[in-house]
Each structure stands twice: as structure tokens, then as C-alpha cells.
Amino acid sequence: AIIVAALVHDVDHPGLTNKFVVQTQHPLAILYNDNSVLENHHAATAFRLLMQPENNILVNADPAEVREIRELMIDLILATDLMKHFDHISRFKAQIQLGKRFEPTKKSDRRFLLGIALKCSDIGHPTKPPKIHREWVERINEEFFLQGDKKKLWASMCHLLWIALALENRSHKLPSSITLWPLYFLSGVITRPLSNKFAGLGLKTIGRIGVRS
């Protein structure tokens, strides 16, 4: 379940953020009631594809197993919503600091840890070699710029010209010192705290959470 969830967790991504699609009342935001819009879209799209006869890898599975796999995959994909990132980290750190052990045999703990594992992979490019990390940073920058263009158009349509003017001065070719801001933010604020805590669980615990998933 976690392998397939990892493969499809960003399927059909529009290159926009949840905040943007909600602010602009994008059709996806209307469809999913502003709640983890993109993640719900990824999960729904993935299962529409998996239900096609030529893609149905679960065709021979027991109906109860299919329900459990579907439920777990949806939970894992929804866990990648960055709007809820710090909520997950707070819960993760709190349980560790209180000395409460995660029990891989406990369903709720196992699912939570699998979600953390997928999050570590999802935002883990700062742990890659610098060349690979820099490539992903540049791709993220380009997505932000394209979203900025859409936001400028949306702002003008809403007669919010001050937003359009503020975005007018941006450049697609930023100086390297500015281009690197996502590198420092992702590495120091997002990825490192989560990865360090997850690694601190030890290989024995991490290995056990995937035995039945």
C-alpha cells in the first residue's frame, strides 16, 4: 500500500498550492470543500486509474483487503498535505519527548509512522546530493513563478491591481542567492527536523512498521 501510495501521491498535480486553489475558488477546491484539495484529488485520480481493468492490481485480492489497502492509501496520501505538516511534526515530537513508544503492532501507530515515512520521502530532496537537490529547487521555483502568473491574471480579473503590480517585477532568472531560499527553508525548517526525528526511531522500529503494510 505504501509503495503504491508513494507512486501516485502527486498524480495529476496542477502545479498549484492548496492555498492558491482555495483562494481562487478553483473547481477542485469547490469539489473537495477546501479541505486538502490537491491530496484528495491525487487519491481520487489514483483510484480512478486503478479501477480500470488494465490497471487493477488488486483484482484478485479479497474485498476486505481491498478496503484496508484503499483506506491506508488515502490516509497516506492525505498525510502529505504541507498545510498540516507542523501538526504532524508536533504530534510526532510530543510522543517521543513524553517517552511514549510507537508500537508497530498498533494500527493507529503503524499508520501514523507510515505517513511520516512517506512525508520524509516526499520532501526529502534536501537529503540528496547537492546537484539533485538544486535541480528540484529550480523546478519548485519555476512552479511558483507559473503560479505567480496565474495569480496576477486572477488578481486583475478581481480588480486587485496592487497584487498584479507587486508581481510585475519578478524575474524568471533570479540571482543564485535568491534562488537558493527554498534550499535553506526546506532543509532547515521542513525536512531536517522531521528526518532527524524519524531516523531516531531506529532501523528496527522503522523496519517493523512496513511488515503488514
Side-chain angles (χ1 to χ4, degrees), residues 47-60:
F47 277 101
R48 278 197 296 271
L49 292 171
L50 288 172
M51 288 174 66
Q52 296 176 8
E54 65 271 24
N55 300 327
N56 193 351
I57 59 176
L58 302 175
V59 64
N60 294 319

Coordinates of all heavy atoms in Angstrom, one line a residue, residues 47-60:
F47 N -7.3 6.2 -7.7 CA -8.2 5.1 -7.7 C -9.1 5.0 -8.9 O -9.5 3.9 -9.3 CB -9.0 5.2 -6.4 CG -8.3 4.6 -5.2 CD1 -7.7 5.5 -4.3 CD2 -8.2 3.2 -5.0 CE1 -7.0 4.9 -3.2 CE2 -7.5 2.7 -4.0 CZ -7.0 3.6 -3.0
R48 N -9.3 6.1 -9.6 CA -10.0 6.0 -10.9 C -9.1 5.3 -11.9 O -9.6 4.5 -12.7 CB -10.3 7.4 -11.4 CG -11.6 8.1 -10.8 CD -12.1 9.2 -11.7 NE -11.1 10.3 -11.7 CZ -11.1 11.3 -10.8 NH1 -12.0 11.3 -9.8 NH2 -10.2 12.3 -10.9
L49 N -7.8 5.5 -11.8 CA -6.9 4.8 -12.7 C -6.8 3.3 -12.4 O -6.8 2.5 -13.2 CB -5.5 5.5 -12.7 CG -5.4 6.9 -13.3 CD1 -4.1 7.5 -13.0 CD2 -5.7 6.8 -14.8
L50 N -6.7 3.1 -11.0 CA -6.5 1.7 -10.6 C -7.8 0.8 -10.8 O -7.7 -0.4 -10.9 CB -6.2 1.7 -9.1 CG -4.8 2.2 -8.7 CD1 -4.6 2.3 -7.2 CD2 -3.7 1.2 -9.2
M51 N -8.9 1.5 -10.9 CA -10.1 0.7 -11.2 C -10.3 0.3 -12.6 O -11.2 -0.5 -12.9 CB -11.4 1.6 -10.7 CG -11.5 1.7 -9.2 SD -12.8 2.8 -8.7 CE -14.3 1.9 -9.3
Q52 N -9.5 0.9 -13.5 CA -9.6 0.5 -14.9 C -9.1 -1.0 -15.0 O -8.0 -1.3 -14.4 CB -8.8 1.4 -15.8 CG -9.4 2.8 -15.8 CD -8.5 3.8 -16.6 OE1 -7.6 3.4 -17.3 NE2 -8.9 5.1 -16.5
P53 N -9.7 -1.8 -15.8 CA -9.4 -3.3 -15.8 C -7.9 -3.5 -16.1 O -7.3 -4.4 -15.5 CB -10.2 -3.8 -17.0 CG -11.4 -2.9 -17.0 CD -10.9 -1.5 -16.6
E54 N -7.3 -2.7 -17.0 CA -5.9 -2.9 -17.4 C -4.9 -2.5 -16.3 O -3.7 -2.8 -16.3 CB -5.6 -2.2 -18.7 CG -5.6 -0.7 -18.6 CD -7.0 -0.1 -19.0 OE1 -8.0 -0.9 -18.8 OE2 -7.1 1.0 -19.4
N55 N -5.4 -1.7 -15.3 CA -4.6 -1.2 -14.2 C -4.9 -1.9 -12.8 O -4.2 -1.6 -11.9 CB -4.7 0.3 -14.1 CG -4.4 1.0 -15.3 OD1 -3.5 0.6 -16.1 ND2 -5.0 2.1 -15.6
N56 N -5.9 -2.7 -12.8 CA -6.4 -3.2 -11.5 C -5.5 -4.2 -10.9 O -5.7 -5.4 -11.1 CB -7.8 -3.7 -11.6 CG -8.5 -3.9 -10.2 OD1 -7.8 -3.8 -9.2 ND2 -9.7 -4.2 -10.3
I57 N -4.5 -3.8 -10.1 CA -3.5 -4.8 -9.5 C -4.1 -5.5 -8.3 O -3.5 -6.4 -7.8 CB -2.2 -4.0 -9.1 CG1 -2.6 -2.9 -8.0 CG2 -1.5 -3.5 -10.3 CD1 -1.3 -2.2 -7.5
L58 N -5.3 -5.1 -7.9 CA -6.0 -5.7 -6.7 C -7.1 -6.6 -7.1 O -7.9 -7.0 -6.3 CB -6.5 -4.6 -5.8 CG -5.5 -3.6 -5.2 CD1 -6.2 -2.5 -4.4 CD2 -4.4 -4.3 -4.4
V59 N -7.2 -6.9 -8.4 CA -8.4 -7.7 -8.9 C -8.5 -9.0 -8.2 O -9.7 -9.5 -8.0 CB -8.2 -7.9 -10.4 CG1 -7.0 -8.7 -10.8 CG2 -9.5 -8.5 -11.0
N60 N -7.5 -9.6 -7.8 CA -7.5 -11.0 -7.2 C -7.5 -10.9 -5.6 O -7.5 -11.9 -5.0 CB -6.4 -11.9 -7.6 CG -6.5 -12.2 -9.1 OD1 -7.6 -12.4 -9.6 ND2 -5.4 -12.2 -9.8

